[in-house]
Amino acid sequence: MDSIKRAFSSSNEEEDSSRSSRTYSFGSVSDLGWKNRVIGFSICAIIAGAGAILGCALGYIDGVAGYVLFGLLFSAGTVAGVCATFFIMGPIRQAKGLWDPDNWINTGIRISCIVAVVIMVALAFCAVYWWKIPGLAILFCIIEFVAIVIYAITLVPYATSIISRGARGAWSSL
């Protein structure tokens, strides 16, 4: 756990604490503590899941109100899901890490998750407005939410190895 906290902390943490004036930059989350990052991520992730599922469920209201509710809630849920990852690691650091040549497996997973989110948004929209199948729209929202969670997990150092070890342990106990 300490290695994860060190990976997210600022390299100049001692220097930052000794300065009385701070400069804030876009894309930096180093000023937030570990607990605040986890709380921010959790709140945004809950808002994302609730917004997406409620958007699909309320999209079946007759008339323009259903379209508006679906569009607003589902879009807000998707944006909140992406914002949740900003609490783990700032957007600039995410972009730099995405193209890290030493971390090509996580890069592939991240790009796949981004593509999955875009496809699931389109399919959920089709399920609500053209196919009129509410359960399918909610299924697409759940898949989108899982893709955002997997994307967030790839941002956490050592998280993929911890999860794979846990899954192997659970599988071997069956």
Side-chain angles (χ1 to χ4, degrees):
M1 189 60 139
D2 292 333
S3 61
I4 294 173
K5 287 181 182 179
R6 271 186 267 126
F8 289 125
S9 66
S10 168
S11 60
N12 299 331
E13 204 166 276
E14 293 83 19
E15 293 175 17
D16 289 344
S17 63
S18 65
R19 288 188 211 161
S20 60
S21 65
R22 289 188 176 256
T23 57
Y24 297 96
S25 64
F26 176 76
S28 173
V29 293
S30 61
D31 294 328
L32 294 176
W34 178 255
K35 183 178 179 181
N36 290 337
R37 289 183 198 182
V38 170
I39 290 170
F41 173 77
S42 301
I43 289 171
C44 284
I46 290 169
I47 291 170
I53 291 172
L54 280 174
C56 283
L58 296 176
Y60 290 97
I61 295 174
D62 288 336
V64 177
Y67 297 127
V68 171
L69 285 173
F70 172 76
L72 289 176
L73 289 173
F74 196 78
S75 297
T78 302
V79 170
V82 172
C83 289
T85 65
F86 294 161
F87 282 100
I88 295 175
M89 188 182 297
I92 304 297
R93 194 166 171 195
Q94 280 185 35
K96 288 179 182 177
L98 187 63
W99 303 111
D100 184 15
D102 297 332
N103 206 3
W104 61 272
I105 293 174
N106 277 348
T107 298
I109 293 171
R110 289 178 191 167
I111 291 172
S112 299
C113 288
I114 291 169
V115 169
V117 167
V118 171
I119 291 171
M120 290 305 124
V121 168
L123 288 175
F125 182 80
C126 291
V128 168
Y129 295 116
W130 288 308
W131 304 330
K132 305 283 187 197
I133 305 171
L136 192 60
I138 292 173
L139 176 67
F140 290 145
C141 288
I142 292 170
I143 293 171
E144 174 200 348
F145 185 72
V146 169
I148 289 174
V149 168
I150 292 171
Y151 177 83
I153 287 171
T154 63
L155 295 174
V156 178
Y158 312 110
T160 51
S161 63
I162 292 169
I163 290 173
S164 65
R165 276 187 277 161
R168 273 185 267 155
W171 183 258
S172 65
S173 66
L174 292 177

